[in-house]
Amino acid sequence: LGVSPALVSGAIHELLEFGLVRQVEPEPGHGRGTAWQAVMDVWPVIGDVLRHPKTPMRILERYFDATDPQIEWGLALNPQLPLKVMQRLSRSPDRYTRFNLTYNPATPVAILETLARDPDPTLATHAAQALARRAKGNAGVAPGREDGEPAAAP
């Protein structure tokens, strides 16, 4: 990785968990122990971090105004996302961003109702299905989201 082994050793489990490094065979004659290699495709990791419900709000806030679809995709799945951000994402020109909101259990009914009228028929169907799931008991819906209020910060 090109950094001090002492720096990496304390964080290696987290780096592995988030898919940022992978274990490789050490090159002959280049030290002892385990060798690690950085994973170059970081987009899946960024998406996982952005959608994770325990990602601190101070980290998420940096991306609230981002318009890169890959960032929006992760944000749209985070159940702790503030209402204003969900509203903005529901108007994203990227259909997959809007689509991901239908899978977020904390997306307010009002946003799902709007998405159920989306010009994209597949997206509209998924939003209607999300509304039907909510009508069957609201399982998995964050408290306070039905009336448009954001869920409490972690």
Side-chain angles (χ1 to χ4, degrees), residues 7 25 27 47 56 111 122 131 145:
L7 178 63
E25 291 294 321
E27 294 181 26
I111 290 176
T122 304
L131 285 166
R145 288 299 181 140

Side-chain angles (χ1 to χ4, degrees), residues 23-99:
Q23 189 172 359
V24 295
E25 291 294 321
E27 294 181 26
H30 285 90
R32 308 177 311 210
T34 306
W36 304 97
Q37 184 177 52
V39 175
M40 301 316 282
D41 185 8
V42 298
W43 282 112
V45 175
I46 291 170
D48 288 345
V49 170
L50 291 174
R51 79 170 145 242
H52 198 284
K54 292 188 178 182
T55 298
M57 196 58 62
R58 64 179 163 38
I59 291 174
L60 293 175
E61 288 171 346
R62 297 177 192 169
Y63 301 98
F64 284 172
D65 295 324
T67 56
D68 184 297
Q70 291 183 311
I71 291 173
E72 288 185 342
W73 299 342
L75 284 174
L77 291 167
N78 190 305
Q80 300 302 324
L81 207 58
L83 177 62
K84 275 187 169 182
V85 180
M86 281 193 178
Q87 290 169 331
R88 182 187 70 78
L89 294 176
S90 74
R91 295 183 302 274
S92 172
D94 182 77
R95 78 182 283 249
Y96 297 106
T97 297
R98 300 189 316 274
F99 196 93

